[in-house]
Amino acid sequence: QVQLLESGGGSVQAGGSLRLSCTASEHISSTYSMGWFRQVSETEREWVASEDPGESNYADSVKGRFTISRDNAKNTVYLQMNSLKPEDTAMYYCAAARSNTLMMRGIIDYWGQGTQVTVSS
């Protein structure tokens, strides 16, 4: 069973930056979509960004501020978050899915345990 381990969360002031990392315990095929979600309420986990080979996609709320990248040799995906806003405060989860379509529909093969991001005004 693949495990995804996130790191890099923390507390920052508005306008600041954080870089999240997610490392898989074993190799995940480069054909898999890797991405990030965040928990915005008790019942809703919102898609933030994902990367397929050669293509990155972002939610409108983070476009232009967040950048997703991937290092297949290290089994790691990153989320660089700049110009952070208080509304970005959430638990962020790494995810792996068989395609970007499945990723954005929330049909996920593997989830990380989450890392907390808190942005103060």
Side-chain angles (χ1 to χ4, degrees), residues 72-92:
N72 289 323
K74 295 182 179 180
N75 296 325
T76 299
V77 62
Y78 305 96
L79 186 68
Q80 178 67 43
M81 306 186 295
N82 298 329
S83 302
L84 282 161
K85 304 176 181 180
E87 51 263 44
D88 294 318
T89 295
M91 184 73 79
Y92 283 71

Side-chain angles (χ1 to χ4, degrees), residues 18-116:
L18 285 172
R19 188 194 195 203
L20 306 184
S21 299
C22 169
T23 300
S25 59
E26 57 188 83
H27 177 70
I28 293 180
S29 171
S30 60
T31 62
Y32 261 65
S33 178
M34 297 293 296
W36 294 89
F37 286 73
R38 61 189 180 188
Q39 195 80 33
V40 295
S41 70
E42 285 190 6
T43 57
E44 183 183 358
R45 191 171 288 186
E46 165 184 90
W47 169 77
V48 174
S50 56
E51 189 190 85
D52 281 348
E55 181 181 359
S56 300
N57 298 281
Y58 300 92
D60 287 343
S61 60
V62 307
K63 200 172 293 183
R65 300 187 298 120
F66 291 11
T67 303
I68 189 170
S69 61
R70 183 171 177 175
D71 186 336
N72 289 323
K74 295 182 179 180
N75 296 325
T76 299
V77 62
Y78 305 96
L79 186 68
Q80 178 67 43
M81 306 186 295
N82 298 329
S83 302
L84 282 161
K85 304 176 181 180
E87 51 263 44
D88 294 318
T89 295
M91 184 73 79
Y92 283 71
Y93 294 89
C94 179
R98 297 186 185 190
S99 72
N100 190 58
T101 299
L102 293 176
M103 169 77 70
M104 296 180 69
R105 290 171 59 188
I107 301 173
I108 305 299
D109 283 7
Y110 307 110
W111 286 105
Q113 84 291 346
T115 186
Q116 179 68 36

Side-chain angles (χ1 to χ4, degrees), residues 8-14 16-18 84 89 115-120:
S11 297
V12 296
Q13 290 190 328
S17 298
L18 285 172
L84 282 161
T89 295
T115 186
Q116 179 68 36
V117 171
T118 303
V119 185
S120 58

